Amino acid sequence: MARLVRGNLVFVWLTLLTVALGFVGYSRAASDAQQTASARTARFEEINVRRLNIVEPDGKPRVVVSSRARMPGLYWGGKEYRHHSRDDGGFLFFNDEGDEVGGMTFSSRREGDNTSVHSGLLFDQYKQDQTVGLVYNERNGQRAAGIRVWDRPDQSLLPVIELSDKAARAASDAEREAIRAEMTRLAQSWGPMGERLFAGKERGASIVRLADGNGRPRLVLKVEASGEPRVEFLDEAGKVVRRYPQ
């Protein structure tokens, strides 16, 4: 009987020892996991930065938030090209392939008595330029704000981006302007890319303006600041051919 009791006591002690060791191991694992999580997650009350890059595991950008001075160039396939004229701060958005696909920017400029202001939230067509946007522009008190929709060709924008990089590296203003003109000619050779729709306000009037495939306004619905409503039909040259009321 005494031998049986001693055997039971040994069994109990071994069981308690196993449980204790298991608890110690679990506690250590939990502590290690907590330390790992703490190393990956930082908490700040406030942080000042000039640029913030959010990137995917493969290094491709997803979002960039930047000051005007640190704004990046054009990204295509995850590669950065220099921009020939970008001079705003804000947000840039990128797709899974590392292409720039839109952004949100804000700017204001003053030269003497002249002022210009621009704010926009823009989204790009796949492998192309902006196709829809919410835009506000002002120049010396003349304001326009609304939704804009553009036509874009089914042509990759990469050749224009490569020219933009070339223009940004130009040795003179004359060379830069020549390259910019080449960019415009190339883009226009791909087909229509004008504004198809504007819905918003211009010069005090509420407007819905619809354009044809070449970007020429053909139908305008307007309510003047005075409250007068109007519908206008235009020909290809922009001349009003019918108006209601007359």
Side-chain angles (χ1 to χ4, degrees):
M1 177 66 69
R3 185 178 301 173
L4 179 61
V5 170
R6 285 197 299 271
N8 289 336
L9 288 174
V10 170
F11 175 76
V12 170
W13 278 109
L14 287 174
T15 301
L16 291 174
L17 180 61
T18 300
V19 171
L21 290 174
F23 178 76
V24 170
Y26 172 79
S27 299
R28 179 173 298 176
S31 177
D32 291 344
Q34 186 175 8
Q35 290 177 2
T36 300
S38 298
R40 293 179 178 178
T41 304
R43 300 178 185 276
F44 302 94
E45 292 294 330
E46 184 174 331
I47 181 170
N48 296 324
V49 298
R50 293 177 180 162
R51 176 167 160 177
L52 176 65
N53 301 323
I54 299 176
V55 299
E56 296 292 352
D58 62 0
K60 288 188 177 69
R62 178 60 73 174
V63 180
V64 171
V65 185
S66 177
S67 67
R68 178 183 175 189
R70 294 283 296 166
M71 201 68 163
L74 291 159
Y75 275 86
W76 201 262
K79 176 183 177 181
E80 184 176 4
Y81 297 81
R82 295 181 64 178
H83 198 291
H84 66 102
S85 63
R86 177 174 283 163
D87 192 25
D88 295 326
F91 296 71
L92 292 180
F93 311 134
F94 305 86
N95 63 15
D96 295 344
E97 299 170 36
D99 301 339
E100 182 182 324
V101 292
M104 183 165 54
T105 59
F106 322 89
S107 67
S108 61
R109 304 285 187 271
R110 179 183 292 275
E111 296 180 6
D113 295 331
N114 298 315
T115 59
S116 62
V117 180
H118 171 80
S119 299
L121 174 61
L122 302 171
F123 300 96
D124 297 346
Q125 180 176 305
Y126 180 63
K127 297 296 182 183
Q128 253 295 329
D129 208 345
Q130 62 206 34
T131 189
V132 62
L134 184 63
V135 181
Y136 160 64
N137 291 300
E138 179 175 339
R139 184 176 293 275
N140 296 329
Q142 296 295 319
R143 302 177 184 91
I147 297 173
R148 298 179 184 271
V149 177
W150 294 269
D151 256 344
R152 297 298 176 190
D154 295 326
Q155 168 70 41
S156 170
L157 196 63
L158 180 57
V160 170
I161 291 176
E162 291 172 336
L163 285 173
S164 173
D165 187 88
K166 184 178 177 182
R169 302 174 190 276
S172 66
D173 291 341
E175 181 184 357
R176 184 175 298 107
E177 290 306 314
I179 298 172
R180 285 175 175 171
E182 184 180 354
M183 292 169 61
T184 301
R185 287 193 299 269
L186 177 60
Q188 290 176 343
S189 71
W190 294 336
M193 57 177 186
E195 182 179 279
R196 295 299 303 274
L197 176 145
F198 172 80
K201 65 173 186 176
E202 283 183 341
R203 301 179 180 87
S206 299
I207 294 178
V208 175
R209 184 171 56 241
L210 304 175
D212 62 20
N214 292 307
R216 296 173 298 207
R218 302 302 298 272
L219 175 61
V220 177
L221 291 79
K222 181 184 298 186
V223 178
E224 301 288 356
S226 61
E228 178 187 359
R230 182 181 304 158
V231 179
E232 296 177 343
F233 297 85
L234 298 85
D235 63 15
E236 294 181 355
K239 179 182 177 181
V240 176
V241 295
R242 195 177 309 152
R243 177 184 288 123
Y244 297 100
Q246 292 295 333

